[in-house]
């Protein structure tokens, strides 16, 4: 008698039908566009899964928020960070960041990170820590971007780079919020360029 091959063997129990990527996509878009007040029940409904399924996959709402932020970081923030690391002149890179923030890509207006930062009462300890880490990472990239520009005399050397990074972070966040509010992109872009 031969042993059954593992290639043709079926696993026991019900087949896994939960689509983690789809659930994260729904959570990111919902919290990005509608804000973090969207409940887990509503996310489950939009994703076509059960709330229990979300909790099995992510542990709890805190785990889901952290996973959604990590997805957003990978898909949206890392390209911005790459733009900041460019050796192009400061005004060119700054304008590139403004264009990224005000459209041109097939992305919703606004910012998931800004939405989560603005609603600390909706965050658990893990997701609050992750929001702080990603926010610090963004400020760190902006600080390095400014410091590099100052070292090449493209930005004011008398301004502390850490302060400049925090200022640029606040300005970028405000640009993204204005986009979410529905302000005309060309007007927001014009104001950002000032």
């Amino acid at each position: 008698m031969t042993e059954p091959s593992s290639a043709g063997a079926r696993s026991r129990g019900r087949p896994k039908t939960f689509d983690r990527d789809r659930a994260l996509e729904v959570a990111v878009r919902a919290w990005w566009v509608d804000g973090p007040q969207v409940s887990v029940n509503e996310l489950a409904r939009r994703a076509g899964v059960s709330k229990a399924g979300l909790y099995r996959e992510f542990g709890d709402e805190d785990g889901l928020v952290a996973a959604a932020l990590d997805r957003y970081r990978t898909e949206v923030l890392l390209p911005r960070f790459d733009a900041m690391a460019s050796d192009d002149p400061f005004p060119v890179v700054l304008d590139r960041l403004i264009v990224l923030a005000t459209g041109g890509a097939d992305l919703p207006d606004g910012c998931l990170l800004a939405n989560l930062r603005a609603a600390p009462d909706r965050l658990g300890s893990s997701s609050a820590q992750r929001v702080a880490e990603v926010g610090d990472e963004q400020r760190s990239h902006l600080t390095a971007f400014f410091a590099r520009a100052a070292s090449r005399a493209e930005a004011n050397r008398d301004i502390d780079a850490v302060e400049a990074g925090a200022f640029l972070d606040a300005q970028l966040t405000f640009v993204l919020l204005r986009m979410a509010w529905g302000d005309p992109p060309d007007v927001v872009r014009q104001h950002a360029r000032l």
Side-chain angles (χ1 to χ4, degrees):
M1 180 178 248
T2 61
E3 293 290 318
S5 80
S6 61
R10 292 181 154 200
S11 61
R12 292 187 173 171
R14 293 189 311 191
K16 184 176 179 181
T17 58
F18 188 90
D19 186 343
R20 178 183 175 88
D21 285 338
R22 170 80 179 130
L24 277 176
E25 177 185 325
V26 167
V28 167
R29 293 289 172 143
W31 288 331
W32 185 348
V33 173
D34 301 323
Q37 67 275 7
V38 176
S39 70
V40 174
N41 287 332
E42 177 60 17
L43 293 175
R45 186 194 68 73
R46 291 182 189 186
V49 299
S50 69
K51 182 177 177 179
L54 284 173
Y55 284 162
R56 265 193 308 277
E57 189 67 27
F58 299 102
D60 55 15
E61 184 173 358
D62 202 28
L64 178 58
V65 171
L69 179 58
D70 285 340
R71 167 72 63 93
Y72 179 82
R73 178 189 170 274
T74 299
E75 293 178 359
V76 177
L77 297 180
L78 289 182
R80 287 185 195 156
F81 298 163
D82 288 345
M84 292 175 211
S86 169
D87 282 332
D88 290 336
F90 183 73
V92 171
V93 175
L94 199 54
D95 197 65
R96 192 174 299 142
L97 291 173
I98 291 168
V99 170
L100 283 171
T102 57
D106 187 26
L107 299 172
D109 291 330
C111 176
L112 175 63
L113 178 60
N115 287 347
L116 295 175
R117 282 173 158 176
D121 57 315
R122 296 280 305 158
L123 303 176
S125 60
S126 294
S127 54
Q129 179 179 346
R130 192 68 188 122
V131 167
E133 290 168 353
V134 174
D136 288 346
E137 181 182 21
Q138 179 165 282
R139 278 186 300 280
S140 174
H141 281 279
L142 288 163
T143 297
F145 165 54
F146 183 86
R148 195 169 46 257
S151 74
R152 298 188 306 205
E154 297 171 348
N156 188 337
R157 292 178 180 171
D158 295 332
I159 298 174
D160 179 74
V162 172
E163 290 298 318
F167 176 79
L168 289 169
D169 182 47
Q171 294 305 307
L172 179 61
T173 299
F174 188 57
V175 164
L176 292 163
L177 288 174
R178 286 190 61 195
M179 291 299 297
W181 298 337
D183 288 359
D186 56 331
V187 172
V188 176
R189 206 171 293 126
Q190 179 184 359
H191 292 171
R193 286 176 174 143
L194 290 176

